[in-house]
Amino acid sequence: MSDKKEIGQSTKSIWGGEQEHELYERSTQVPVVHSVSFGYKDIDTWHQAALGMVDGHIYSRNSNPTVRAFEDKCKELENAEAATSFSSGMAAISNSLLTFLKSGDRIVSIKDSYGGTNIIFNEFLPPLNIDVSLCETHDDEQIKNEIARGCQILYLETPTNPTVKITDIKKLSAEAKKVGALVIVDNTFATPINQHPLTLGADIVLHSASKYLGGHADALGGVICGNKDLIKKANHYREINGATLSPMDAYSLLRGMKTLKLRIEKQNESAMIIAKHLQKHPMVEQVNYPGLETHPGHEIAKEQMPGGYGGMLSFAVKGDLDAIKIFLPKLKYAHMAANLGCVETVVGPPSTTSHVECSANERAAAGIPEGLVRYSCGIEDVEDLINDLDQALSHLN
């Protein structure tokens, strides 16, 4: 086992991807390389770099030093052989699906995946003659039966956005292997600090890096990690179709990732405390958080999320959407915004955040009530967040 596999996640967050390549003029931080192209002094070396025979960059749509450092850091955090990045989380999702699916193929997934992913499943893949089977997230038997019918991809998201449901990666990956299916897992909510899908049987793990990896809501990006052959195919699709991560965003993501473990540990802790508090609040009807023993997926989460249960929770307040319209604007320490995973607490209903692209009927079909609140814990003092929630909820009495 190499030293890289033995070091801790905080060390990887700080040093990962930054030691393999000499930095410009002995800088201690990865520089932002804005150059579109990279020059060579002779044709032979240039040609070898273009073919990947020697290390080097030729054009930033294909590869870039700053972007490569980000990819290498993600690779190390997910204990993967390789990684490739994208201009956004949705670019990572769509490019991954389109790389490995063709006309006549079949994909099995869950109903309450992220809204943008759901749109791909329901609107974009069927016209390409790709059969999509969306199962109840909590129904392992239905998922297993659909896998057994044959498929090329099993796509999982766990915990889900915004209902924070849990799917059993290990069990369902084993079923997918029986039919030769590729397993892709969206690990955005869990992060590499809490969960490692590749060790549970997944082939590709992906992230919307705009969320927890960056952590500061100032950079868009996406990334996938897996074995070299799979990532090579996805990278080829991406470099030709052009969903390239910008060097400046890669730099911002790298800077944010230095504190990844510290942030996630704090957010794990705060989310658990807040979830337990809200369970006892008279104006809250239901709290969804996998760390709670009452959560249907708690036992699975306890096994496959050894680092913690994440900083995301959702809850339903009495009075549904009308109550949310009163309650949310009263919060002092939370942005009402379509984002999550950053150092500030962020809140919102699915109709304006995760599933804004979907109709009310489509959200209902996915098991997402209109009166749900998605709550992304920041790193504020948890006592202040609880007091803030209490004072805002008091306006519903």
Side-chain angles (χ1 to χ4, degrees), residues 209-218 252-253 255-257 260 263 341:
S210 321
K211 310 303 190 296
Y212 283 105
L213 294 188
H216 291 77
D218 58 1
S252 296
L253 294 169
R255 182 177 57 184
M257 288 173 72
L260 179 62
R263 290 186 281 107

Side-chain angles (χ1 to χ4, degrees), residues 354-377:
S354 63
H355 287 69
V356 65
E357 301 95 345
C358 303
S359 67
N361 288 337
E362 287 171 331
R363 288 190 290 271
I368 301 169
E370 293 298 283
L372 195 69
V373 174
R374 190 180 75 176
Y375 192 91
S376 172
C377 292

Side-chain angles (χ1 to χ4, degrees), residues 226-247:
N227 73 44
K228 290 181 180 178
D229 291 339
L230 293 175
I231 298 304
K232 184 178 180 180
K233 289 180 181 179
N235 182 70
H236 177 63
Y237 187 95
R238 190 269 304 157
E239 66 181 2
I240 297 302
N241 284 276
T244 304
L245 179 65
S246 78

Side-chain angles (χ1 to χ4, degrees), residues 295-312:
H295 190 285
H298 175 70
E299 292 303 318
I300 298 170
K302 185 163 65 173
E303 182 176 341
Q304 71 184 24
M305 300 179 73
Y309 300 105
M312 292 297 306

Side-chain angles (χ1 to χ4, degrees), residues 2-3 17 97 103 107 117 128 147 162 176 185 217 236 259 277 291 301 308 327 337 347 352 371 374 382 390:
S2 70
D3 290 341
L97 294 175
S103 178
I107 180 172
T117 310
L128 301 177
I147 293 170
V185 177
H236 177 63
T259 58
H277 178 79
F327 156 61
V347 297
T352 60
R374 190 180 75 176
V382 69
D390 285 347

Side-chain angles (χ1 to χ4, degrees), residues 190-228:
T191 80
I193 304 304
N194 293 330
Q195 179 172 269
H196 285 109
L198 297 179
T199 67
L200 298 170
D203 298 293
I204 291 175
V205 57
L206 66 84
H207 293 269
S208 172
S210 321
K211 310 303 190 296
Y212 283 105
L213 294 188
H216 291 77
D218 58 1
L220 280 174
V223 66
I224 65 171
C225 308
N227 73 44
K228 290 181 180 178

Side-chain angles (χ1 to χ4, degrees), residues 89-153:
M90 282 309 304
I93 294 168
S94 59
N95 277 251
S96 297
L97 294 175
L98 293 173
T99 296
F100 298 106
L101 288 171
K102 63 182 185 303
S103 178
D105 280 352
R106 186 166 183 269
I107 180 172
V108 174
S109 189
I110 53 177
K111 284 186 177 179
D112 63 332
S113 58
Y114 170 64
T117 310
N118 199 266
I119 291 292
I120 293 176
F121 291 153
N122 287 309
E123 292 186 20
F124 295 166
L125 294 184
L128 301 177
N129 192 33
I130 295 169
D131 182 40
V132 180
S133 177
L134 300 182
C135 306
E136 297 294 341
T137 307
H138 62 274
D139 193 339
D140 283 356
E141 287 305 309
Q142 183 188 13
I143 300 172
K144 287 167 63 176
N145 289 338
E146 289 300 315
I147 293 170
R149 289 180 54 203
C151 61
Q152 281 64 48
I153 288 181

